[in-house]
Amino acid sequence: MTAPAAKKYPRRKIIAGAGALGGLLLTGCDTDLHRPPVLRNGLMGVADTLTMASQRLLLSGQQLVQEHDVSEITKDFPVWNQSDPEDEDYQRLKAGAYVDWRLPVSGLVNSPVSLSLEELKRMPRRTQTTMHICEQGWSAIAQWTGAPLISVLEAAGGVKPQARYVMIDAYGGWYEGYDMFDVVHPQTILAYGMNGQDLPLGNGAPLRLRVERHCGYKQLKFIKSIQVVDSVEGFGRGTGGINSDFGFHWYAGA
Ligand SMILES: Nc1nc2c(c(=O)[nH]1)N[C@H]1C(S)=C(S)[C@@H](COP(=O)(O)O)O[C@H]1N2
Ligand SMILES: [Mo]
């Protein structure tokens, strides 16, 4: 079953979005191919059995990744893959300095909302200086500032008990899915700031995800919308993200 507001991705859109994946190696940070747990196969993951409240309680002690000193920030942090999505809506929003940009938060939340950048900036914020590790063999340190993903879900009235995944859609065709372990992790933020400035265009303006335990490809840029769902079916090829649709690990964490 798919959440009421979940939308299907037309196949041609996935193929178009996959252009940015061309040339990527089919490697991840792990040796096994990790996929999101699927109830109908009898593979029950924690995310399938716990309510958000019990998850928060159980997971509040999750380990944080290392945070660095600002003196370690990398000069010229790379811009990798998509740098300026060829998307009419995105280009229009960019031309208007993202004033009309909104982040719809829908699906299995109690009161769906659509947040402006200003509203996101007024929410609880977290700043963290972390190392980005791209699966293609480079790493770099930057300081990210943003709203914890959990705070954004709370602004939507919190999630319903059936909530298992957060699916995030990006301008330019990418999308990725995350389980509740990552959603409630304190270092999982929707970042609008990088190194003390607004997030630069090439690094995903106006909003990108930082999900610090994961490889580069889970750090979704150019965020368009957020949906809370009970199943990843109905999105793309149904593996839980555009990268796993093309053979990468769905779970790209350490
Ligand atoms: N929407 C979108 N998100 C994306 C990508 C992309 O091409 N499009 N590339 C991913 C990969 S593989 C990496 S390493 C990082 C790169 O982020 P950067 O451009 O800020 O270095 O973004 C990730 N998120
Ligand atoms: Mo990457």
Side-chain angles (χ1 to χ4, degrees):
M1 213 185 52
T2 310
K7 57 180 187 260
K8 304 247 179 199
Y9 283 75
R11 196 178 159 82
R12 70 184 151 69
K13 190 175 165 193
I14 307 168
I15 304 298
L21 283 166
L24 294 196
L25 298 169
L26 294 184
T27 60
C29 298
D30 295 292
T31 47
D32 301 319
L33 190 63
H34 293 284
R35 294 197 179 286
V38 179
L39 262 180
R40 103 191 111 75
N41 291 351
L43 288 164
M44 304 259 283
V46 170
D48 287 328
T49 54
L50 297 183
T51 65
M52 189 71 167
S54 55
Q55 284 179 39
R56 288 198 76 180
L57 200 65
L58 278 173
L59 306 177
S60 54
Q62 288 195 88
Q63 275 202 337
L64 302 184
V65 306
Q66 185 187 354
E67 296 195 11
H68 295 261
D69 189 81
V70 291
S71 64
E72 296 173 88
I73 289 173
T74 306
K75 276 203 179 76
D76 302 320
F77 191 99
V79 168
W80 204 253
N81 295 336
Q82 289 180 312
S83 56
D84 185 4
E86 287 174 31
D87 177 292
E88 247 179 66
D89 292 334
Y90 183 79
Q91 291 302 326
R92 184 177 45 77
L93 293 166
K94 184 180 80 169
Y98 308 109
V99 169
D100 293 332
W101 179 94
R102 292 289 179 281
L103 177 67
V105 184
S106 66
L108 295 170
V109 291
N110 291 312
S111 28
V113 280
S114 202
L115 301 163
S116 68
L117 264 186
E118 286 311 311
E119 286 170 318
L120 281 168
K121 289 179 179 176
R122 282 199 297 269
M123 292 173 62
R125 71 166 57 182
R126 190 176 206 284
T127 293
Q128 59 205 29
T129 304
T130 52
M131 185 181 290
H132 175 106
I133 302 169
C134 172
E135 63 294 340
Q136 293 189 280
W138 61 270
S139 63
I141 294 173
Q143 185 190 61
W144 309 98
T145 298
L149 178 52
I150 188 76
S151 303
V152 172
L153 296 181
E154 277 163 4
V159 304
K160 298 191 168 165
Q162 317 92 282
R164 294 194 185 105
Y165 304 101
V166 168
M167 305 300 289
I168 309 185
D169 189 10
Y171 288 103
W174 276 46
Y175 77 101
E176 271 298 333
Y178 308 87
D179 67 16
M180 291 302 172
F181 275 103
D182 284 315
V183 172
V184 303
H185 191 273
Q187 289 168 319
T188 298
I189 63 173
L190 293 166
Y192 44 74
M194 181 182 185
N195 298 336
Q197 311 281 319
D198 283 346
L199 187 65
L201 170 63
N203 301 108
L207 193 75
R208 79 171 308 159
L209 185 70
R210 292 304 309 173
V211 55
E212 300 292 356
R213 292 179 300 187
H214 287 263
C215 290
Y217 63 82
K218 292 293 263 196
Q219 319 296 326
L220 200 68
K221 307 194 283 187
F222 313 110
I223 289 178
K224 182 180 182 179
S225 64
I226 292 180
Q227 292 174 76
V228 180
V229 298
D230 62 357
S231 163
V232 303
E233 276 176 38
F235 291 84
R237 294 177 173 174
T239 68
I242 192 162
N243 289 283
S244 49
D245 281 348
F246 287 89
F248 284 74
H249 305 297
W250 175 75
Y251 183 78

